[in-house]
Amino acid sequence: MVVCGDDGLAHRLAAELRGVYGEQVALVVPASERSVRPPVVVRARSASALLDRVVTAAAGLTGNGTGAVTSAGTGTAVGEPPGGIRLMEAAEPTEAALAAAGVERADALALVYDDDETNIRAALTARRLNPRLRLVLRLYNRRLGQHIEELLDQAAVLASGGPADGTGFDASTTVLSDADTAAPALAATALTGTSKVLQTGGLLLRAVERPPAGAGVSAGPGLATLALLSQTDSQGRADDQGPALLPDAAAVRDGGGRATVVLEQVSYAGPALPDGRGVMPWFASLFSRRLRWSLAGMVGCVVALAVALWLVTGIHPLRAFYLTLLDLFAIDDPAIGESVGRQILQLLSGLAGLLLLPVLLAAVLEALGTFRTVSSLRKPPRGLGGHVVLLGLGKIGTRVLTRLRELNIPVVCVESDPEARGLATARRLRVPVVLGDVTQEGVLEAAKIHRAHALLAVTSADTTNLEAVLYARAVRPDLRVVLRLYDDDFATAVYRTLRAAHPAASTRSRSVSHLAAPAFAGAMMGRQILGAFPVERRVLLFAAVEVGGHPQLEGKTVGEAFRAGSWRVLAREESGDAPGLAWDLPDTYVLQPSDRVVLAATRRGLAELLGRRGRERSGT
C-alpha cells in the first residue's frame, strides 16, 4: 500500500493500514513533514510494541539510526521503521516519486493531499504507471469526484484489456471526502458517545460490549454476536486465550463469565424537532403556533353561536349558521321584532366579529411575512429540548448537519459567519440557526443549551471549541460534549481534564483525520470492505460480497454458510421499490447467486472467502 499526503490524514491512514489490516505501507510526505511528529506512526498491538515502534520511528525522523535522510532528491527514502511503514519524502507526487514508492508493484494508492488538483494529477499519472492499481482520492468536490471515478475506471479497463463493463476487474477508483467520512462518526459520537461505527445501507451500526450477565439474553432483531471477550480474573487481567471472534450459538451459550460484543443500530430516541409535519404542513409553515390556536378558537366560537341560535329559534341548522355569519361580518340584518334570545346572540356574534378582525389581519401579515422571508434562517422554537447544538457550519459542520437530519435528530446550529457555506443547507433543511460568536454571552443560551442532549463543536478553531464546551459545561455539568481538536496532545489533555472535572458526563475529543482514516483504508482494501472493528488485539472486517462465484455461500442456507471464527452472513441487500438491507435473515434462507450480502469476517477468513493469497500475519 502506498499513501501520499501532506497532513495528519496520511499518517493516520498509514497507521490504520498497518495496525488494523496488517499491510506493508509506503508513506510519502513532503520534506517539511519530517519535522512534524506524526499523530500515529503505528497502531501497536501492545503497549511495549507501541513504545518500541514510536521510539524507532522518531529516531528515523530525526536522521539517527535507521532511516537517515540521504538526499533531497525526488522520492528520497527516509527509512523503514519496524512495523511495516516505509517513510519517504517528496515535495510533490511526481512520476519519479510514485515510481520510487513502488506504485508499479503496489496493490493500492491513496492520494490524500489537501489540494484537489494535486490528487487528480497524481492519480492520472499513477493510473498510467499501473492500470490495475486501486486508487483512493481525497476530493471535496463531489460532482467532480464522480466524473474522475468514471474516467479513471474506464482508463484502467482499457489499459489492461479487461471486459468493457469491468466485470471481474479488481482495479477501482474511489473518491472520498474526509468531511463525508467523518460526519457519520461525529453524529454517532453525539448520540452514543462512540465513534466506532459502520455506515451501510443508510444505517449507522456500532459494536457494543455487553457484560457477562447479558451474554445469554437474546439480542433481538438486527443484532448479532460478534465476539466473546477474553476471560478475566478477579484482578481484571485477561487470560492468554484471547477473544473468540464470530462464535456459534453453542459457544455463546457456554461462554459463562465472558463478556460479548454485539452489533446494534445507532438510533435516536429523543424528541423529534417540531417542524410542522401534521395534517396540513403548508398551514403550519404559514402561521405560528399561537396564531393557529387563535384561529381555532374563533372557529369554535362561531360554531357554538350557530348551534345556540339553532336551539333558541328552532330554525334549520344551515340557516342558523348563515345568520350567525351575517351577524359576525356585521351585514345589516338587525333582529328587530325577534325574540330576546335571538337579539342577544346577534349582539354576541357582532362582538365576536370585532375580535375576529385583528386575528384575520395578523394572519394576513404573518403569511405575507412568511413568503417574504422564506429564505431567512429559522429561530429555535420555544420548548425545544433533547436536541443537538452544532457549532460551526463549515466543510465539516455542513456534512455533520446533513447526517444528523437524515437520522431525524433535532439540531440547532450556531455560526458566527453570515456567509458560511452551511447556511444554505440549514435553510433547505429548515434547521434553526443562531448567528453570533459562540464565545459571546447569550449565544449558547439562544440555542437552548440548557435543554440540549449534546454539544458538537466542530469549528476550525480549537480554542473556540474549547471555550464553548467549558461555558456549556458551566451551564449543564452533565451535558454530553464532542470537540473537534486538531492537535493530539492538546486533545488528550483537554479530554483528561474534562473527564476529571466532570466524571459523570460524557466527553469526547475527535480529530477529523482520525475519524476519516478507516474509510480511506477500507477503500484501499477494495470496494467490498465496508469497515473494521477492533476486538482487543484482533480485528473484525465487514464486507459486501456477491454470492455468485463463492462456493462457500452459493446455494447454501445462512446457517450452513456460517463458519465460526471465519465469517458470518449478517444481512442481504434488497432490491425493488424500497432498496435496503434485510438484517433479520433466518438461518433457513438459501443464498442465491444474484444475492449481495454483508458479512463479518476475520482477515484470514475474508482472504479465504475472496480467494486471495493468505499471508500469515501475527495477530490475524
Side-chain angles (χ1 to χ4, degrees):
M1 302 290 174
V2 180
V3 178
C4 302
D6 57 358
D7 59 8
L9 179 57
H11 297 282
R12 291 282 186 183
L13 178 54
E16 188 81 12
L17 289 169
R18 181 55 190 166
V20 175
Y21 297 97
E23 295 289 337
Q24 300 294 320
V25 183
L27 176 59
V28 182
V29 294
S32 59
E33 285 290 293
R34 288 191 301 105
S35 60
V36 179
R37 183 182 59 82
V40 175
V41 176
V42 177
R43 187 188 298 273
R45 302 183 187 277
S46 64
S48 59
L50 174 62
L51 180 60
D52 294 341
R53 292 175 183 179
V54 170
V55 170
T56 308
L61 291 176
T62 55
N64 298 326
T66 63
V69 180
T70 56
S71 65
T74 306
T76 306
V78 177
E80 183 174 359
I85 297 183
R86 182 164 59 97
L87 189 62
M88 301 179 61
E89 68 174 36
E92 293 183 355
T94 60
E95 181 175 349
L98 294 175
V103 167
E104 295 92 339
R105 306 178 305 276
D107 291 334
L109 166 66
L111 297 165
V112 293
Y113 292 93
D114 195 42
D115 179 52
D116 287 3
E117 182 180 350
T118 301
N119 294 327
I120 295 174
R121 185 170 61 249
L124 296 173
T125 303
R127 180 59 79 207
R128 179 171 49 83
L129 294 175
N130 187 351
R132 291 190 170 272
L133 183 70
R134 283 195 299 272
L135 286 173
V136 179
L137 281 73
R138 173 189 184 183
L139 296 180
Y140 182 76
N141 191 326
R142 292 179 174 179
R143 182 174 301 178
L144 177 61
Q146 294 176 356
H147 296 310
I148 291 297
E149 277 191 6
E150 297 173 358
L151 174 65
L152 291 175
D153 282 346
Q154 183 178 3
V157 172
L158 295 177
S160 61
D165 59 355
T167 304
F169 195 63
D170 190 34
S172 63
T173 304
T174 305
V175 176
L176 297 174
S177 166
D178 51 349
D180 287 333
T181 54
L186 287 170
T189 306
L191 293 179
T192 64
T194 178
S195 61
K196 280 296 181 181
V197 295
L198 176 69
Q199 185 179 18
T200 176
L203 302 176
L204 280 180
L205 306 174
R206 63 169 179 169
V208 181
E209 181 178 336
R210 290 188 172 178
V217 180
S218 176
L223 294 181
T225 301
L226 300 179
L228 291 173
L229 299 181
S230 302
Q231 187 78 37
T232 57
D233 56 19
S234 58
Q235 298 180 355
R237 293 176 298 186
D239 57 16
D240 297 332
Q241 184 179 359
L245 301 184
L246 303 175
D248 54 19
V252 174
R253 185 174 57 254
D254 300 335
R258 303 179 68 177
T260 59
V261 176
V262 298
L263 188 69
E264 71 175 24
Q265 179 182 350
V266 176
S267 59
Y268 175 71
L273 182 64
D275 54 0
R277 294 180 182 178
V279 178
M280 293 184 295
W282 60 269
F283 187 78
S285 63
L286 286 178
F287 306 113
S288 65
R289 182 182 180 90
R290 182 180 300 178
L291 186 56
R292 294 199 302 269
W293 277 109
S294 299
L295 291 174
M298 292 305 303
V299 171
C301 181
V302 172
V303 173
L305 289 172
V307 172
L309 182 60
W310 168 48
L311 296 176
V312 170
T313 61
I315 62 177
H316 193 273
L318 292 180
R319 179 173 174 78
F321 188 72
Y322 172 70
L323 292 177
T324 301
L325 291 179
L326 290 181
D327 297 336
L328 191 68
F329 297 131
I331 297 178
D332 192 15
D333 187 17
I336 299 176
E338 300 288 341
S339 63
V340 177
R342 167 74 178 96
Q343 293 175 347
I344 293 176
L345 289 175
Q346 187 178 54
L347 292 176
L348 293 176
S349 299
L351 179 61
L354 293 177
L355 298 177
L356 180 61
L357 286 178
V359 176
L360 293 177
L361 179 61
V364 172
L365 294 177
E366 189 166 299
L368 292 176
T370 300
F371 286 119
R372 184 176 61 252
T373 61
V374 67
S375 61
S376 63
L377 298 172
R378 301 184 66 193
K379 294 182 179 179
R382 294 182 178 179
L384 178 64
H387 57 288
V388 175
V389 177
L390 177 63
L391 307 185
L393 285 175
K395 183 175 68 172
I396 304 297
T398 303
R399 299 288 194 263
V400 174
L401 171 62
T402 303
R403 186 56 189 163
L404 289 172
R405 291 308 294 142
E406 287 175 354
L407 296 173
N408 295 323
I409 299 169
V411 186
V412 174
C413 301
V414 179
E415 175 56 53
S416 60
D417 183 9
E419 302 296 330
R421 69 174 74 197
L423 292 180
T425 302
R427 293 190 188 98
R428 176 174 56 84
L429 298 176
R430 300 184 60 80
V431 173
V433 178
V434 177
L435 284 177
D437 188 354
V438 71
T439 60
Q440 299 296 323
E441 186 175 356
V443 174
L444 284 178
E445 283 82 354
K448 316 292 184 184
I449 192 65
H450 56 286
R451 291 199 297 265
H453 170 75
L455 172 65
L456 198 54
V458 294
T459 68
S460 57
D462 288 1
T463 54
T464 300
N465 295 335
L466 177 59
E467 184 175 355
V469 166
L470 293 177
Y471 184 79
R473 275 287 168 80
V475 177
R476 277 275 308 279
D478 60 339
L479 181 67
R480 170 177 288 163
V481 296
V482 182
L483 297 84
R484 172 196 174 189
L485 299 176
Y486 180 79
D487 184 76
D488 284 344
D489 292 336
F490 184 52
T492 302
V494 169
Y495 169 75
R496 291 175 177 174
T497 304
L498 287 177
R499 285 300 302 270
H502 304 277
S506 175
T507 304
R508 296 292 184 271
S509 58
R510 294 290 183 259
S511 166
V512 172
S513 61
H514 178 75
L515 296 175
F520 281 82
M524 293 185 72
M525 298 300 298
R527 284 181 172 175
Q528 72 274 12
I529 302 297
L530 301 176
F533 283 148
V535 180
E536 295 184 3
R537 297 184 182 182
R538 305 181 68 183
V539 175
L540 269 179
L541 304 179
F542 293 83
V545 177
E546 300 285 350
V547 173
H550 295 94
Q552 303 94 329
L553 304 176
E554 188 174 348
K556 296 186 177 182
T557 64
V558 173
E560 294 172 346
F562 170 56
R563 182 181 295 181
S566 295
W567 62 74
R568 175 178 181 174
V569 176
L570 299 176
R572 180 180 66 89
E573 186 175 307
E574 295 181 324
S575 57
D577 297 335
L581 292 176
W583 293 90
D584 54 349
L585 288 179
D587 288 342
T588 57
Y589 176 79
V590 180
L591 299 174
Q592 304 298 322
S594 59
D595 286 342
R596 180 178 173 87
V597 297
V598 175
L599 52 84
T602 61
R603 285 201 295 255
R604 185 175 299 165
L606 185 62
E608 178 184 350
L609 183 64
L610 299 180
R612 296 174 177 173
R613 293 181 302 172
R615 286 181 290 179
E616 293 295 331
R617 297 168 181 155
S618 59
T620 302

